[in-house]
Amino acid sequence: MEKVVLFTRQHENALRILEETGVFRMKPEWIKKKYGSISDYYMKVYDWLVMESARRVPRPPGVSYPVWCSVDEGYMLREVQGEVVFKLQIDADKIIYFDSPKWDMILNHMYLPKDDEDEQKFLKELTSRGITNQFTLFDHSQGRFYPDLQRRITESWHRVFQIKDWNMFTVQANIWEFCPADILEIRK
C-alpha cells in the first residue's frame, strides 16, 4: 500500500487523547469552540463536506468530522503555543484531497463553475433574474425565492474534489482519523 506524508496541527490535548484512546478523531464541539458565534454557519457546510467525503473514502464508525491536513511541509500550519504538529504517514486510499480555494468558495456559498464559460453563463443567468450578488441567495431573505439556484450552487460543490493545479498552495487533504502508528514525528 502506497503511503503519503501529511501534516496536521492540533491542540496539545491530542497527545493525551492518542495515549488514552489509541486514535485521534475530530469532535464537533472542538469545531464549534474554534468558530464560536459563527459555528452554526460553518457546521452546515462541514456537514455537506462530511457527506460528500464519505462517498469517496468510507467514514469509520464513530467518526464525526475529518482531520484537516497539509500536503506539504512548506505550506503546513506551524507550531504555536498550546498546539502540536503531527507529521503523518497515511495509506493513500484513506486520503480525501480537495482544492482549498474552491473550499473557500463553498464557505461563501458560491457556485463552483466547470470552467470560465460555465461561470459566465451562471453569472449571466443571475443578472437576467435581477440578482446582483450570489451571496444573497443563502444569507438573505431574497434566497427563498430562488431554491433552484440554491440547488444548482450546492450541486456544483462536488467540484471541490476536482484538482486541476496540484500544488502545495491549493491542495489540502482530509483523513478521518489517525493513530500512533501513523505518526512519523511530533513537533511542539
Side-chain angles (χ1 to χ4, degrees), residues 7 73 76 78-79 83-87 185-188:
F7 303 85
E73 187 170 11
M76 70 178 196
R78 302 295 179 209
E79 308 90 57
E83 299 199 355
V84 295
V85 173
F86 294 94
K87 181 178 182 180
E185 181 182 348
I186 300 171
R187 301 176 189 177
K188 299 179 185 178

Side-chain angles (χ1 to χ4, degrees), residues 108-181:
N108 287 298
H109 292 144
M110 295 178 72
Y111 181 74
L112 293 183
K114 294 179 222 173
D115 52 32
D116 290 339
E117 181 181 333
D118 184 49
E119 180 177 27
Q120 291 309 312
K121 184 178 173 183
F122 183 74
L123 293 174
K124 186 176 179 180
E125 181 175 353
L126 293 180
T127 301
S128 73
R129 293 171 76 171
I131 301 166
T132 57
N133 185 342
Q134 67 178 292
F135 295 110
T136 63
L137 291 171
F138 283 89
D139 303 326
H140 189 271
S141 62
Q142 180 184 24
R144 70 176 185 263
F145 298 112
Y146 302 101
D148 62 316
L149 292 175
Q150 288 179 341
R151 187 175 50 257
R152 281 185 52 203
I153 290 170
T154 57
E155 287 173 355
S156 77
W157 291 351
H158 70 89
R159 296 184 185 114
V160 72
F161 301 106
Q162 298 170 359
I163 302 168
K164 292 181 182 175
D165 184 19
W166 191 277
N167 66 70
M168 70 179 180
F169 303 110
T170 59
V171 178
Q172 289 187 354
N174 279 333
I175 55 176
W176 293 117
E177 61 188 4
F178 65 91
C179 63

